[in-house]
Structure formats: C-alpha cells, structure tokens
Amino acid sequence: MSSLVKVLREKYGREFISVEELSSELGVSVSELIMEAKSKKIKAVKIGRNIQLSLKGIECMLSDEELNDNEYQNSLDQVATPTVTSEQSDERIELVECDVDMSKGCITYVKSSNRWILQIDLGKTVDGKRIRKSKSFKNEEDARQALALELAQLNKISQREVGDIYWKGNPITSQTQLKDFFEYFLSLCTAKPHTIEGYFETARQIARDLGEVSLQNLTTSVITQFFNDFKKNYAQATINKTFSVLKRALELAKECELIEKNPMSNMKRPKTTKEGEVNKQVYKAFKDEELKQVLKACKEYSQCTYTMAKVLQYTGLRPGELRALEWRDIDFEVGVIHVRQAATQEREGMTLESRGTIKSVIGTTKTPYSVRKIPVNSEVLEVLKEWQEYVKSDRAYEKARKCQYVFPSTRGGMIGSTGLSIKFRKAMQQAGLHGRGYELYTFRHTFCTNLIKQGVDIPTVQRLMGDNTTDVILKIYTSVEERDLLSATKKLKGYFENRDL
C-alpha cells in the first residue's frame, strides 16, 4: 500500500476523500486530478456537492498497479449505498472514456445549473500553464457530439513532438499568418461570452489589414503603420481595445517561442486623429422635460414598456440586469430590488470568418460588485404590482403567467435584447426624441446624473450603480458640473443686463 494512501486513511478516517482535499495534499489542481483519474479509468463520484475519489483508486493512480475490478466496485458500493440519495446519484460525474493521443476530454453534469460541461486538456504552454478549453451545453447529447468533434479535429495529428503547437491539425510556427494564430489565441481566452465576442470582433478588424502577415514579419514598423492608418478612422475606445488585443496575442507568440520579442513591448498606445472625435466619452442623460416625454410615450405605447421605464428611472439597472430580473428579486414589503444576475448574449461557433449563432443566456452580473440591493419608492412598487396583475389577466401573456421573469416575452421566456430595444426605440419615436443619441443606457446615466444633482456622495452613487470603479461616475459628474457652470454664467449675464452694466 502506498505510504501516502496510508497517511490519508489515517488522517481522514474514511475510504473516500474529495478531490479538493487530495489537491491540497498533492499540491496539484483539481482539474489535473480529474484528468488523471479518467486516464487511469478511476471513477469519480459526486456525493452531495463534493467530487470524491476512493483511496483504492488513488493508490492505483499513484502506482503502476492495475485495478482489481471486484474490490474496487465493492468500495464504490459501500460508499454509494448509505450515502448517496436517489437525487444525488443523478449528480455523479461521468468521465467519458476516449482514446486520445494528444489531448484529453471529458464531460461533467452540473446539477445546480442543469448544464453539461465539456472540458478538453490541450497541454501546457512553455511556462508550464495548463491550456484548457471548455463549453457548456443544455443536454448530454450535444455535449458528447461536441466532445467527439473537437477530439476528432485535434487528433488528426498523428505524432506530435513535445513542445510543438498545433491548431486544427496544422503546426503553428513563426511562418504562421496572424489570422491563423488569432484563431489559436482566441481559443485559449477565458472570459465572459460578451467579452470573447468583443475579442473576435477586434481580431477581425486587425485581420483585415494584417491577417496575411506572418508572425515573424510583424515588425514594429509594420504595426506602427497599421495604427497610423487605423487611428484616422476610429474612436479612442476602439483603438485602446485593438492595441490591447494585438499586444496580448503577440505576447503569447513570444511565450510560445514563436517570435524572439514582442514588437509592441515598447510601443505607446496611439491617440485617435479621427476628424471631429472628442477624446472623452460623452454620457448623455435625459433632461427633466425629455424624461417626462419619454415616460408619457412609454405609457401610451404599452404597459410593459412603461413599467420597465419606471424601474430604470429609479434603479439605473443595466439592460441585461433588467431582462434577468425575477419576481423573487423584488421585496415588496421592504421596498428593495435585489440585483443577482444579468442576461447576456452568447455566440457559438465563432471564427474570424463567421460570427456564429447567437442566443440569450442568464449569467453573472458584470462584476461581483454589481450584485447589490436598490431601495425603491412606493411609486415603483405600485407600478410593478399593476404590471403583475396585467400579466395575469392579459391574453397576450397567457404563456408567460408561470414565468419567473418580471418582464417575459409573450412566449413565456426571457424577453430578448432585440425585443427590448424595439420597444424603447418606438417609444422614443413617439416622444419625438429618436435620432438624438439616446439609448437604453441613457436611463442609467440619467439615474446617476440625478443622484449627483441631489448631492449624493460618490461612494453611495457607485454602490447603487453597481460599478467597481468610479471612472464612469466621475465622467458623468464632470459633465453635470460643466452644465451647471454654463447655467451659472448665463444667470450672471442676466444679472448684469438687468443692471445695465
């Protein structure tokens, strides 16, 4: 018996321990343990919320011994019978058996989110960091098919030399064109779906001009010329994002020893020279009279649009937070709206040539700081109650009556971002404000502006807005201050005119 297994048995006093406990004991990641268990055909079971491995299986993982099937199955039965309930047994982690030469893959079922997670181990970077790819699916069949497809594409390579990098069956070298390296770079990015989509869009813009240039020919002068042309046509925010994505991609190329140095390491971020471009973002807010017009138009357009407008007026919610709002999030007794989640758009099958397919999903808020409680007044609560009764009685919302979302579509699911935008666009047209640069976020900026006008301190405004930095708030504050200064000088002009000075 392995001395480590003996120590574990004495320390924990049981035949199964969690992968988190084993991870701590061995000093390796949980994911690596699961992958190793799969490669040795050691079953992992989920008991409650913990993924567990048997000490017998761990002993085999740490040695060259073969599993004694009967003995191993007995250990599984012993822990499963008294501990795993019928509900929990459905939550077992199934490690998919697959013959893989260069990469390992598995799918796991996460009961809490009712999703199947695909994970593929793509090896390590030159500095020893794990390279993994993961996707989530609604059902097991889709996850299995995607796993089979991914592994089939990866395993077209017969024998790969250690240290070489391959993507879609082709080696990546210093001769690889930037557009092909971008595909590899983007496959390794881990961020929220909306952020990844932004990376793809930025990569497409770069690839239009530099896509066919090889990595080794991407010199500082070539990139400088690209940005000299680019800055003439784009705003500063776009330039900043483009500069950042390209620099990060080339830094990966350097880490993979495809290029000797990052040609952008000493480059300064260029400034826009676009004609008429102001190098600071303007955050527009409704004037008081305009807000009255908008609310009146929303009420005339539909009960749903008016209710959403009132909620936005008094909470400053982001559109995604509004769409994901559930009835359980509204505390009518206390007068508080809880912001716990946000709707976002997720694209599948994105490449530099295709934007893939899009779908709406519920995810986390923009940042952990965005999870918050917003007190609301009786007017908002009354409007929400009226809307709740409207949904229960209106025939158009018959399919949505059991829906948990505050603002469902008439089909019963979450209202789409396009549907939300259309409602407000039509209301804006009705109010005579369409084409003035107003959008859904204008409600958020108006909320912030009015808080500042009322003398609310910046930290409190920041907490109500759910922003982890004060950048946007301070820009809105500056904008408000400038308008107040202009208003003050106009009053001064009138003061002097009245005195004939």
Side-chain angles (χ1 to χ4, degrees):
M1 179 191 298
S2 166
S3 59
L4 175 61
V5 171
K6 185 177 180 181
V7 170
L8 292 176
R9 183 173 282 117
E10 292 174 354
K11 180 177 180 179
Y12 292 96
R14 56 183 189 269
E15 289 300 311
F16 273 70
I17 67 171
S18 71
V19 289
E20 286 81 9
E21 290 169 334
L22 186 59
S23 170
S24 177
E25 297 287 349
L26 298 180
V28 298
S29 72
V30 169
S31 299
E32 286 181 86
L33 286 176
I34 293 177
M35 287 295 183
E36 180 66 17
K38 184 202 73 65
S39 67
K40 294 286 183 69
K41 297 183 179 180
I42 309 296
K43 292 180 182 177
V45 297
K46 192 165 187 181
I47 305 173
R49 292 184 176 275
N50 297 318
I51 300 174
Q52 306 265 357
L53 292 173
S54 74
L55 291 182
K56 183 64 182 175
I58 294 169
E59 187 176 354
C60 293
M61 281 174 57
L62 300 175
S63 67
D64 293 328
E65 294 180 26
E66 291 187 4
L67 273 174
N68 182 313
D69 290 340
N70 291 333
E71 187 178 346
Y72 182 54
Q73 188 58 48
N74 287 338
S75 68
L76 286 176
D77 293 340
Q78 286 171 10
V79 73
T81 305
T83 311
V84 182
T85 65
S86 59
E87 180 182 6
Q88 291 169 334
S89 64
D90 292 335
E91 208 171 2
R92 284 194 183 187
I93 301 300
E94 180 181 3
L95 299 178
V96 178
E97 300 299 333
C98 48
D99 261 342
V100 184
D101 293 328
M102 58 150 282
S103 60
K104 301 174 183 179
C106 70
I107 60 171
T108 62
Y109 176 68
V110 182
K111 189 171 183 179
S112 59
S113 60
N114 193 27
R115 304 282 291 186
W116 289 85
I117 310 299
L118 171 156
Q119 284 188 315
I120 296 177
D121 189 342
L122 299 174
K124 295 182 180 181
T125 61
V126 290
D127 58 355
K129 293 181 180 178
R130 279 284 179 191
I131 303 173
R132 289 190 181 89
K133 184 175 183 179
S134 63
K135 292 182 181 179
S136 69
F137 298 86
K138 288 183 178 179
N139 58 68
E140 180 182 5
E141 184 59 29
D142 287 349
R144 285 184 181 277
Q145 289 180 2
L147 178 65
L149 180 61
E150 293 279 359
L151 293 178
Q153 291 176 340
L154 288 168
N155 291 323
K156 286 178 183 176
I157 311 155
S158 53
Q159 291 182 344
R160 184 178 73 162
E161 293 182 12
V162 176
D164 286 353
I165 302 173
Y166 284 79
W167 174 244
K168 292 185 176 179
N170 299 312
I172 296 177
T173 68
S174 61
Q175 299 291 331
T176 299
Q177 293 182 340
L178 179 61
K179 62 182 181 181
D180 296 323
F181 184 73
F182 260 144
E183 293 272 9
Y184 173 69
F185 165 72
L186 292 169
S187 74
L188 304 181
C189 289
T190 54
K192 291 187 176 182
H194 183 71
T195 304
I196 296 294
E197 184 181 344
Y199 290 163
F200 268 95
E201 187 56 44
T202 300
R204 287 188 197 100
Q205 288 182 310
I206 299 170
R208 290 186 192 113
D209 293 317
L210 299 179
E212 295 184 2
V213 180
S214 66
L215 292 174
Q216 69 174 10
N217 289 331
L218 274 172
T219 61
T220 302
S221 60
V222 169
I223 296 170
T224 300
Q225 184 57 54
F226 165 75
F227 277 109
N228 284 342
D229 295 332
F230 194 81
K231 67 183 182 181
K232 297 175 185 176
N233 302 305
Y234 292 95
Q236 190 61 46
T238 305
I239 292 172
N240 293 346
K241 189 186 298 183
T242 305
F243 187 88
S244 176
V245 169
L246 182 55
K247 188 173 183 178
R248 284 180 59 191
L250 293 175
E251 191 60 33
L252 176 64
K254 177 191 169 187
E255 290 173 2
C256 295
E257 298 182 350
L258 300 172
I259 54 177
E260 289 186 8
K261 57 178 287 188
N262 186 341
M264 295 181 68
S265 58
N266 296 320
M267 283 182 64
K268 292 184 178 179
R269 187 168 293 177
K271 301 294 184 182
T272 181
T273 57
K274 183 181 177 182
E275 188 176 349
E277 176 68 19
V278 179
N279 288 333
K280 67 176 182 179
Q281 190 168 356
V282 178
Y283 293 91
K284 298 192 70 173
F286 292 120
K287 296 174 184 177
D288 291 345
E289 192 57 41
E290 289 175 332
L291 185 57
K292 286 181 184 178
Q293 289 176 251
V294 170
L295 290 171
K296 182 175 180 293
C298 286
K299 193 167 189 177
E300 292 173 353
Y301 182 71
S302 74
Q303 183 77 11
C304 178
T305 310
Y306 176 67
T307 308
M308 289 192 287
K310 293 300 289 184
V311 171
L312 291 174
Q313 177 191 1
Y314 283 100
T315 63
L317 293 180
R318 298 176 178 91
E321 294 169 346
L322 180 75
R323 291 173 58 210
L325 200 63
E326 299 181 11
W327 286 112
R328 68 184 177 92
D329 299 325
I330 301 172
D331 190 329
F332 286 98
E333 290 185 9
V334 179
V336 167
I337 290 180
H338 297 263
V339 182
R340 299 184 174 100
Q341 57 190 20
T344 185
Q345 291 184 326
E346 188 175 291
R347 288 184 183 271
E348 292 183 345
M350 282 189 296
T351 66
L352 291 186
E353 289 77 33
S354 169
R355 286 181 167 81
T357 57
I358 192 168
K359 63 178 180 179
S360 291
V361 295
I362 293 293
T364 58
T365 53
K366 186 175 182 180
T367 68
Y369 199 86
S370 299
V371 176
R372 60 200 189 277
K373 293 186 289 186
I374 306 175
V376 289
N377 58 30
S378 57
E379 181 185 357
V380 177
L381 296 174
E382 190 59 38
V383 169
L384 282 166
K385 287 178 182 177
E386 290 175 4
W387 167 243
Q388 195 172 35
E389 292 303 315
Y390 183 89
V391 172
K392 290 178 181 178
S393 59
D394 191 273
R395 290 184 62 185
Y397 285 94
E398 187 174 353
K399 295 180 180 179
R401 286 171 191 167
K402 294 182 180 180
C403 183
Q404 73 271 29
Y405 298 113
V406 177
F407 302 107
S409 70
T410 52
R411 294 189 299 274
M414 175 177 59
I415 189 171
S417 60
T418 303
L420 183 64
S421 299
I422 289 173
K423 287 178 183 293
F424 279 98
R425 190 183 305 125
K426 290 184 177 179
M428 292 287 186
Q429 289 171 340
Q430 202 163 314
L433 298 174
H434 184 64
R436 297 191 188 180
Y438 295 136
E439 56 181 5
L440 272 170
Y441 261 91
T442 305
F443 282 98
R444 181 170 169 80
H445 301 151
T446 303
F447 173 73
C448 181
T449 298
N450 289 334
L451 288 174
I452 292 169
K453 282 183 175 180
Q454 295 303 311
V456 180
D457 61 273
I458 296 298
T460 301
V461 175
Q462 181 184 0
R463 192 69 194 97
L464 290 169
M465 294 279 286
D467 283 329
N468 62 338
T469 68
T470 59
D471 293 352
V472 172
I473 296 169
L474 290 175
K475 287 177 182 177
I476 294 174
Y477 181 86
T478 302
S479 178
V480 172
E481 191 177 50
E482 287 175 355
R483 286 198 295 271
D484 290 344
L485 287 171
L486 180 61
S487 175
T489 55
K490 285 181 179 179
K491 289 179 181 178
L492 185 62
K493 181 176 181 292
Y495 171 81
F496 287 132
E497 285 177 348
N498 291 336
R499 283 155 182 75
D500 196 24
L501 296 174

